Amino acid sequence: ALRQVFVSMLCSFPVGLLCFWTGSPGWFFTTLALVELFLFNTQAPVNAILLDCVPTNLRNYSMSYNVLMIHLLGDTPSPWLVGQLADWITPTWGDHSLHMALLLLYTWNLTSIGFYFLPWFFYFRWGKTRSYGLVP
C-alpha cells in the first residue's frame, strides 16, 4: 500500500506542474484530471494503513479524526494562505502573483512524496524482521 501511495504521489507532482504552464484550457483540464486521478488513488491505501494501525474498537474514531485533521490542516487554511502569499509576492510578480502563490503552495506536495517514501523504504529495510507493536 505504501508503494502505491508513493508512486501515485511521485506521478502526480510533475503532471501537476504541467497544469501551471499549459496554454490551453483543454490541456489544463486534461492534466488536472490526471493529477486528481493520481491524488485520489492514494486515499484507499492511506485509509487501509490507518485502519490497520489502530485497534478494532477505535477504527471509527481514527477515521473521523483523520477526516477532521484533513479539513483542519488542508481545507480551512488554504484560501487564507493563498491570499496572504499572493499579497506578499505581488510587488515582485505583479499580475502573476496568484499564479506563483498557487505554484509555491503546490510544491508542498514534495514533502508528502518524502513522507510516503520514508515509511515504504524503512518497512522493506527493517519491517520484515522487527515488530513495531502494530495491531495484527
Side-chain angles (χ1 to χ4, degrees):
L2 282 171
R3 182 178 61 197
Q4 178 185 349
V5 173
F6 169 67
V7 170
S8 293
M9 290 300 296
L10 193 63
C11 292
S12 73
F13 188 75
V15 177
L17 286 178
L18 288 175
C19 284
F20 289 98
W21 286 290
T22 57
S24 69
W27 277 109
F28 172 78
F29 287 114
T30 302
T31 54
L32 185 64
L34 282 172
V35 168
E36 289 295 322
L37 176 73
F38 288 130
L39 290 178
F40 284 129
N41 193 26
T42 65
Q43 289 303 306
V46 166
N47 290 337
I49 292 167
L50 176 68
L51 291 175
D52 197 34
C53 292
V54 297
T56 308
N57 62 336
L58 296 177
R59 288 184 177 173
N60 55 346
Y61 293 113
S62 69
M63 288 304 296
S64 63
Y65 288 134
N66 181 35
V67 171
L68 177 69
M69 295 310 292
I70 286 171
H71 290 299
L72 281 179
L73 298 175
D75 300 343
T76 304
S78 294
W80 178 82
L81 192 58
V82 169
Q84 291 295 318
L85 189 59
D87 290 343
W88 183 62
I89 63 174
T90 296
T92 307
W93 290 97
D95 293 338
H96 300 287
S97 63
L98 183 60
H99 185 264
M100 290 307 296
L102 288 171
L103 181 61
L104 287 172
L105 290 177
Y106 183 73
T107 58
W108 184 253
N109 280 340
L110 286 174
T111 59
S112 66
I113 293 171
F115 285 139
Y116 287 127
F117 172 74
L118 290 175
W120 175 59
F121 175 76
F122 287 120
Y123 172 76
F124 283 107
R125 186 162 182 183
W126 294 313
K128 296 179 181 177
T129 59
R130 295 184 182 173
S131 173
Y132 295 105
L134 298 178
V135 175

